[in-house]
Amino acid sequence: MMSSCLSQVSLRQGVGKPAQTQRFSRSHILRQSKTPRCPRKDQHDEEMRVMCPKGCLCSSSGGLNVTCSNANLKEIPRDLPPETVLLYLDSNQITSIPNEIFKDLHQLRVLNLSKNGIEFIDEHAFKGVAETLQTLDLSDNRIQSVHKNAFNNLKARARIANNPWHCDCTLQQVLRSMVSNHETAHSVICKTSVLDEHAGRPFLNAANDADLCNLPKKTTDYAMLVTMFGWFTMVISYVVYYVRQNQEDARRHLEYLKSLPSRQKKADEPDDISTVV
């Protein structure tokens, strides 16, 4: 479109040249007559307004920028232009990020979803943009946990601070799958944790103290040991009780036998008859 504008300028500059050149210019004019005219600024603004989602502002500075900040949105618009490069959805009332909501935004580089009320992020929420996205801002939301595959293949630097994270094995797997995991983990504070002593501490410290993915196995092992020890204690207690009870019965029986009056040996009784004790 810019080339057609330049050709029109060059044609205007061709006035006053020799006849042959002017005849060439006329034929050139005929060929260029089908070329669309340069769009006016107001026409371009109207096109941007039509393609822009309701409540958002669109501009084309360095690519298509879509700004939907403070627009009282309760969900992510589904009519986002495919050419979107920068998308600002911060400071709204969005509570979830559905599966494949950004799948057609193949040029998206910056996505800001901070300062919303996001609680749920579906497993395939970033499918289609994971490879191209450079910055993802999910800070200042209500995210406690996410699916372990939610950030798979994500190349972006993610900001996920100021969320009430529950620190467990899933979160550990999520952070390990991210490119900037060390930087991101530094900003995560455990609101709650599978280990009570980790609540209120940075996730990185908690992960260094214990492998959160091995805790269920260790807990099961401890439970088995406690159960086995309990059964062993019961068996030993029963054996001790049984032995003591038998000893007590034997002692009583012996005392009973001793309490019986002894019978005197008669003179005419032979010596080989045993005396009952």
Side-chain angles (χ1 to χ4, degrees):
M1 191 171 294
M2 182 63 69
S3 60
S4 63
C5 294
L6 294 176
S7 63
Q8 291 176 17
V9 172
S10 61
L11 289 176
R12 287 196 298 270
Q13 292 176 346
V15 178
K17 290 185 178 181
Q20 183 178 0
T21 305
Q22 291 179 3
R23 284 197 298 270
F24 175 79
S25 298
R26 293 191 188 98
S27 64
H28 188 70
I29 291 173
L30 292 175
R31 289 198 302 270
Q32 294 293 332
S33 61
K34 297 182 181 180
T35 305
R37 295 182 178 180
C38 295
R40 296 188 305 247
K41 184 178 182 301
D42 55 350
Q43 181 182 353
H44 180 265
D45 292 344
E46 178 64 18
E47 291 176 354
M48 296 289 290
R49 189 188 67 78
V50 170
M51 68 187 302
C52 203
K54 184 179 180 180
C56 304
L57 298 175
C58 296
S59 63
S60 58
S61 175
L64 182 58
N65 302 344
V66 180
T67 303
C68 305
S69 305
N70 294 294
N72 294 320
L73 298 178
K74 292 182 171 54
E75 60 181 22
I76 298 172
R78 295 186 177 272
D79 56 345
L80 293 166
E83 301 84 4
T84 303
V85 176
L86 279 70
L87 177 57
Y88 297 94
L89 292 164
D90 54 296
S91 304
N92 283 290
Q93 302 170 31
I94 300 170
T95 58
S96 64
I97 307 178
N99 280 327
E100 303 184 359
I101 188 67
F102 306 113
K103 66 177 182 178
D104 296 324
L105 309 183
H106 302 300
Q107 303 179 42
L108 190 64
R109 295 200 308 268
V110 175
L111 175 58
N112 190 340
L113 283 159
S114 64
K115 299 178 182 179
N116 278 280
I118 298 173
E119 298 181 19
F120 307 104
I121 300 177
D122 288 335
E123 179 180 358
H124 303 294
F126 302 106
K127 185 176 181 180
V129 297
E131 297 287 343
T132 60
L133 205 59
Q134 298 176 3
T135 301
L136 172 63
D137 196 342
L138 291 168
S139 59
D140 298 287
N141 279 285
R142 300 175 184 173
I143 308 169
Q144 297 183 18
S145 62
V146 296
H147 192 279
K148 65 179 181 179
N149 298 326
F151 298 141
N152 268 10
N153 303 318
L154 189 68
K155 307 299 182 185
R157 290 187 175 276
R159 299 168 185 165
I160 58 176
N162 298 328
N163 282 286
W165 288 107
H166 176 68
C167 294
D168 57 2
C169 176
T170 301
L171 182 59
Q172 181 172 302
Q173 291 175 330
V174 167
L175 292 177
R176 283 179 177 175
S177 69
M178 299 173 69
V179 174
S180 57
N181 54 51
H182 194 272
E183 178 183 344
T184 305
H186 265 296
S187 65
V188 175
I189 304 297
C190 302
K191 177 72 173 180
T192 57
S193 176
V194 290
L195 297 177
D196 293 337
E197 61 268 26
H198 290 165
R201 296 176 57 192
F203 172 81
L204 199 60
N205 293 349
N208 288 337
D209 291 346
D211 186 351
L212 301 181
C213 290
N214 283 333
L215 292 179
K217 182 177 182 299
K218 291 180 178 179
T219 303
T220 304
D221 293 342
Y222 292 150
M224 290 180 62
L225 287 174
V226 170
T227 303
M228 291 176 63
F229 180 77
W231 280 104
F232 181 76
T233 303
M234 289 177 60
V235 171
I236 295 298
S237 300
Y238 177 77
V239 171
V240 171
Y241 172 80
Y242 180 79
V243 171
R244 288 183 176 178
Q245 188 66 30
N246 285 347
Q247 288 177 343
E248 183 67 19
D249 291 344
R251 186 183 63 79
R252 290 176 181 175
H253 184 66
L254 183 60
E255 289 179 354
Y256 170 75
L257 293 177
K258 289 180 177 180
S259 65
L260 293 176
S262 59
R263 191 174 58 177
Q264 297 293 330
K265 182 180 178 182
K266 295 181 180 180
D268 56 348
E269 288 182 349
D271 293 336
D272 57 349
I273 298 178
S274 301
T275 303
V276 178
V277 179

